[in-house]
Amino acid sequence: MATGTDQVVGFGLVAVSLIIFTYYTTWVILLPFIDSQHVIHKYFLPRAYAVLIPLATGLLLLLFVGLFITYVMLKSRRVTKKAQ
Amino acid sequence: MTKLTQWLWGLALLGSAWAALTMGALGLELPFPCREVLWPLPAYLLVSAGCYALGTVGYRVATFHDCEDAARELQSQILEARADLARRGLHF
């Protein structure tokens, strides 16, 4: 078995993914079948956000990946220019 | 047919089925809860796939079989090799 921080990080990721999955499943799949007067609807945002938040997060992720690639490419070009 | 074309075909079929059902093009009167579940379905499948990937990576990191003795042995061998090469004139 892995040790120390590896285990903590690994199981932490598992826990995070399970939490996100159960919350999102309840939001998208279960809530439409629950009576709109039930108290559970208080814990969930309006339904449109169920698509907007993942979309915005995905675009942000793409932005960070693009910025990282640009940064690495610029750095490598500067290193080759200095070596010439 | 290549794997890519297979995937694209599958996506196109499922996507058109979803679009037809969501926009009521088939003239089916689905009950309200079913329609409410249907239209965020692509986003839901993407998020679930992402959660599954994240959970699998985390699980594999946590249950990876470390070999501490082999790791220590390897590190000492690396130090030995470095010293040996430095003696022969190759410096890192």
Side-chain angles (χ1 to χ4, degrees), chain A residues 20 49-64, chain B residues 47:
Chain A
I20 295 179
Y49 287 102
V51 173
L52 290 177
I53 293 178
L55 190 68
T57 323
L59 288 175
L60 269 174
L61 265 169
L62 277 177
L63 179 71
F64 281 129
Chain B
V47 170

Side-chain angles (χ1 to χ4, degrees), chain B residues 42-84:
Chain B
Y44 175 75
L45 291 173
L46 274 171
V47 170
S48 330
C51 285
Y52 171 73
L54 192 69
T56 312
V57 165
Y59 182 69
R60 298 263 183 239
V61 165
T63 55
F64 189 77
H65 292 300
D66 268 348
C67 312
E68 299 215 0
D69 297 332
R72 255 180 281 130
E73 198 184 326
L74 190 61
Q75 296 284 25
S76 68
Q77 283 180 344
I78 291 174
L79 286 172
E80 248 183 82
R82 276 198 150 156
D84 187 43

Side-chain angles (χ1 to χ4, degrees), chain A residues 3 5-7 17 22 24-25 28-30 32 34-35 38 41 57 62 64-65 68 70 72 79:
Chain A
T3 55
T5 42
D6 278 354
Q7 260 187 327
S17 74
T22 35
Y24 199 67
T25 308
V28 173
I29 307 283
L30 297 181
I34 298 178
D35 183 42
H38 197 284
H41 285 272
T57 323
L62 277 177
F64 281 129
V65 169
F68 178 72
T70 315
V72 168
V79 166

Side-chain angles (χ1 to χ4, degrees), chain A residues 12-50:
Chain A
L13 279 179
V14 173
V16 164
S17 74
L18 279 175
I19 290 172
I20 295 179
F21 179 69
T22 35
Y23 185 83
Y24 199 67
T25 308
T26 322
W27 196 3
V28 173
I29 307 283
L30 297 181
L31 280 191
F33 295 97
I34 298 178
D35 183 42
S36 58
Q37 305 302 324
H38 197 284
V39 70
I40 200 173
H41 285 272
K42 186 168 60 120
Y43 295 100
F44 294 92
L45 289 167
R47 215 159 160 69
Y49 287 102

